Amino acid sequence: MPNSNAKINCNHRGGREASRRELVSRSLQSAQHCLEDQDFGTAYAHYLLVLNLAPELKTSVKETFQFTLFKWAEELDSLSRIQDLFNCYEQALELYPNDEVICNSMGEHLFRMGFRDEAAGYFHKAVKLNPDFADAKENFYRVANWLVERWHFIMLNDTKRNLTYLKAIENAVCSGCKSVLDIGTGTGILSMFAKKAGASFVYACELSKTMYELACDVVAANNMESEIKLLHLKSLDIEIPKHIPERVSLVVTETVDAGLFGEGIVESLIHAWEHLLLQPK
């Protein structure tokens, strides 16, 4: 009897496998026919079924799937079916999470719709996945020109200003301020000043996703990624101990230009003093 049951189970598994292969084969054929008829939506649905049933085919159908996705996305865009378009890309990125071409295409749609910060994130990911991907690099630089204010470059090249900040931070750290919070870190320059000055704990927050990711790259390039904790948050949203373990002894910021009012810096500094900064005894 045990041998008989094992044989039945084996036959059952074999039958299911044969059914799966048959369904995959028919879906691939249907997808091809739909592409020939330029029915990209149905073809996309067939490829989703194939890739979910047969993940082993991801490599062999990748280029055709990409073509189908992009054509269907163009149709959805023209019909203003924006949520359906985003859903398709989310499905595609679940199947191919490290595909730079799909990431770049998603970024292009977001950029055209005005979601520049989100687009920059996808372009940045595409470039990190493939540093030689020319289209993604061009797109990332283009969107960065929209998102990175020109005054960042002026400030970074203002040697006198930077040395003044460096000296002030060194003096504060030497006088006993060993934990530092950098509000609106931008490129992360003040956080790195604080760490080089000898601060034991350095935290930095940045609301812009583009600038946050840029800061991550800059800090990593200076081999400080394990010494500076970067937070993609507004300072008002920082919670203790959820984001930082305790109140800090020094708050630094360099958001002092036209952003004085636009970035709510006064409110942020008051909040930091009351909530995140150690009170003097």
Side-chain angles (χ1 to χ4, degrees):
M1 185 64 71
N3 289 337
S4 177
N5 288 337
K7 185 175 182 180
I8 291 172
N9 289 335
C10 183
N11 289 337
H12 182 62
R13 285 195 299 271
R16 283 191 303 179
E17 177 60 23
S19 297
R20 183 187 74 91
R21 288 198 299 266
E22 177 66 18
L23 181 56
V24 168
S25 176
R26 289 188 177 184
S27 293
L28 284 172
Q29 290 175 11
S30 296
Q32 190 59 46
H33 291 320
C34 289
L35 286 179
E36 291 170 1
D37 295 336
Q38 297 190 351
D39 182 0
F40 300 113
T42 307
Y44 175 76
H46 279 298
Y47 277 118
L48 280 184
L49 178 61
V50 167
L51 290 168
N52 279 287
L53 286 175
E56 67 273 13
L57 297 179
K58 281 184 179 181
T59 301
S60 60
V61 304
K62 180 178 176 179
E63 290 187 9
T64 311
F65 174 76
Q66 287 175 343
F67 171 81
T68 306
L69 167 66
F70 300 155
K71 286 294 186 180
W72 179 225
E74 287 176 8
E75 284 192 25
L76 292 173
D77 194 6
S78 68
L79 296 169
S80 297
R81 292 171 57 183
I82 306 306
Q83 190 56 56
D84 289 334
L85 185 153
F86 287 151
N87 289 342
C88 286
Y89 273 96
E90 287 175 3
Q91 292 167 338
L93 287 170
E94 285 180 8
L95 293 166
Y96 296 97
N98 296 317
D99 188 286
E100 70 274 17
V101 178
I102 295 177
C103 286
N104 182 64
S105 181
M106 175 65 157
E108 289 176 338
H109 281 287
L110 286 166
F111 184 78
R112 284 196 295 270
M113 293 173 192
F115 300 107
R116 291 168 182 157
D117 207 27
E118 293 82 358
Y122 281 98
F123 293 145
H124 184 255
K125 181 178 179 180
V127 172
K128 294 199 82 170
L129 288 168
N130 182 1
D132 296 324
F133 189 7
D135 287 349
K137 285 197 292 186
E138 182 179 344
N139 284 332
F140 181 68
Y141 294 144
R142 178 166 53 125
V143 76
N145 284 330
W146 286 91
L147 294 172
V148 181
E149 300 288 350
R150 297 297 93 192
W151 50 263
H152 273 290
F153 300 100
I154 298 172
M155 288 162 59
L156 287 171
N157 286 282
D158 189 337
T159 304
K160 183 177 180 181
R161 176 191 179 96
N162 292 336
L163 290 176
T164 301
Y165 267 104
L166 175 60
K167 187 64 176 177
I169 291 171
E170 286 177 342
N171 289 340
V173 171
C174 289
S175 67
C177 297
K178 296 300 183 182
S179 56
V180 180
L181 171 64
D182 179 7
I183 294 178
T185 191
T187 59
I189 186 171
L190 297 188
S191 297
M192 292 187 289
F193 282 172
K195 195 62 196 177
K196 286 184 177 180
S200 302
F201 305 100
V202 180
Y203 313 98
C205 64
E206 175 56 55
L207 182 59
S208 164
K209 185 177 181 182
T210 301
M211 293 308 299
Y212 164 76
E213 292 180 344
L214 177 61
C216 289
D217 285 346
V218 172
V219 168
N222 284 274
N223 299 314
M224 293 186 180
E225 64 268 36
S226 62
E227 301 175 318
I228 297 173
K229 183 176 182 179
L230 289 158
L231 303 167
H232 181 212
L233 285 172
K234 189 177 182 180
S235 62
L236 294 171
D237 295 331
I238 296 176
E239 297 178 18
I240 299 170
K242 181 179 178 180
H243 300 114
I244 61 177
E246 58 186 2
R247 294 189 178 198
V248 298
S249 53
L250 177 65
V251 170
V252 297
T253 186
E254 200 177 8
T255 49
V256 186
D257 77 319
L260 180 62
F261 302 104
E263 296 187 25
I265 188 62
V266 174
E267 181 185 14
S268 295
L269 289 176
I270 291 173
H271 172 269
W273 175 259
E274 293 178 343
H275 180 60
L276 302 172
L277 192 63
L278 286 170
Q279 299 298 309
K281 297 180 180 179

